[in-house]
Amino acid sequence: MNSATPTTFAEVAQQLHANGYRPFPGVQETKVPAMKGWPGLNRMPWDEAELAATIADYQPEANYAACMAIQAELVAIDLDIVDHNAAVLADELANKHLGRTPLVRIGQAPKQLRIYRQGGGGTSRKLHPVEIFSGTGQCVGFGQHQKTGHPYYWPDASPLELVCNSPDIPKVTRAQLDRFTADLFKVVPRRLQVARSLPQTGNL
């Protein structure tokens, strides 16, 4: 892991915006969104002047991680799997059904977040221990993980390096996602929870 991995909203916000993503500040200690109205970023990108003002407003910068609202053009898949063997199987199935994306973020291994481009029909769903987000919710892009004490990191490539519409990021469809989750739940138990609507504060 690179010791220089960025951990704050101020460090990365403008580059993320330039690459087509939708960053906003999150509380470093909890990763809870620090900015009211952030779900608007699921629908519309930042105005550059407003982003610059937000960076200046959220100080000291060390207190704020960089969250990313998931716009409709992207699909974020959170694999909240702590068993190592099950996590390896999930990774293999994701590569098989969805393709190998360069955008894989690690916070507390073996859990992982994978980002793809929207290929059609993908919608936000909670299928614990898998969560799928497109056009709703958010993830932590860069910050200090509260449990590990280390930065979140991207072992292959990060949104700081790849624009959001890069052809290197595979597109996924609803059919691909359905095949992936169907095969996954043959080997990984699904955690059933009380049905409820997706919260706007979805946190990956």
Side-chain angles (χ1 to χ4, degrees):
M1 183 188 310
N2 189 338
S3 61
T5 300
T7 60
T8 70
F9 171 69
E11 287 179 281
V12 300
Q14 290 181 322
Q15 184 61 49
L16 289 174
H17 170 66
N19 285 352
Y21 303 94
R22 316 273 177 90
F24 67 92
V27 178
Q28 189 73 263
E29 292 183 356
T30 64
K31 304 306 176 290
V32 171
M35 186 186 82
K36 292 183 179 179
W38 70 263
L41 292 169
N42 293 130
R43 300 181 294 275
M44 294 288 292
W46 278 104
D47 171 84
E48 289 188 9
E50 290 181 355
L51 176 59
T54 300
I55 294 170
D57 286 344
Y58 283 85
Q59 299 291 329
E61 68 177 63
N63 290 352
Y64 299 102
C67 297
M68 301 189 328
I70 308 301
Q71 64 250 44
E73 297 83 7
L74 297 178
V75 177
I77 302 172
D78 185 32
L79 299 177
D80 187 22
I81 300 171
V82 296
D83 178 81
H84 178 75
N85 291 334
V88 169
L89 287 171
D91 184 71
E92 292 173 350
L93 288 171
N95 289 336
K96 173 184 174 181
H97 290 294
L98 309 176
R100 188 181 297 274
T101 176
L103 294 183
V104 177
R105 189 222 65 198
I106 306 295
Q108 184 181 10
K111 298 179 182 181
Q112 64 172 253
L113 174 84
R114 304 167 71 100
I115 293 180
Y116 292 88
R117 291 185 294 151
Q118 174 67 261
T123 57
S124 297
R125 290 178 285 165
K126 286 183 179 285
L127 303 169
H128 299 283
V130 179
E131 295 189 38
I132 301 169
F133 286 84
S134 184
T136 67
Q138 56 97 4
C139 68
V140 179
F142 298 88
Q144 197 81 10
H145 196 283
Q146 61 268 42
K147 291 185 178 179
T148 68
H150 297 295
Y152 288 82
Y153 68 103
W154 304 77
D156 299 319
S158 88
L160 293 174
E161 300 154 348
L162 281 181
V163 295
C164 70
N165 60 354
S166 169
D168 291 335
I169 306 169
K171 287 184 177 182
V172 294
T173 65
R174 174 65 181 253
Q176 287 176 284
L177 291 166
D178 287 346
R179 286 194 295 270
F180 165 63
T181 55
D183 272 5
L184 179 67
F185 291 131
K186 293 176 184 176
V187 294
V188 176
R190 182 172 176 181
R191 300 198 299 266
L192 298 179
Q193 298 190 354
V194 176
R196 60 182 180 181
S197 59
L198 282 171
Q200 285 298 315
T201 53
N203 190 4
L204 306 183

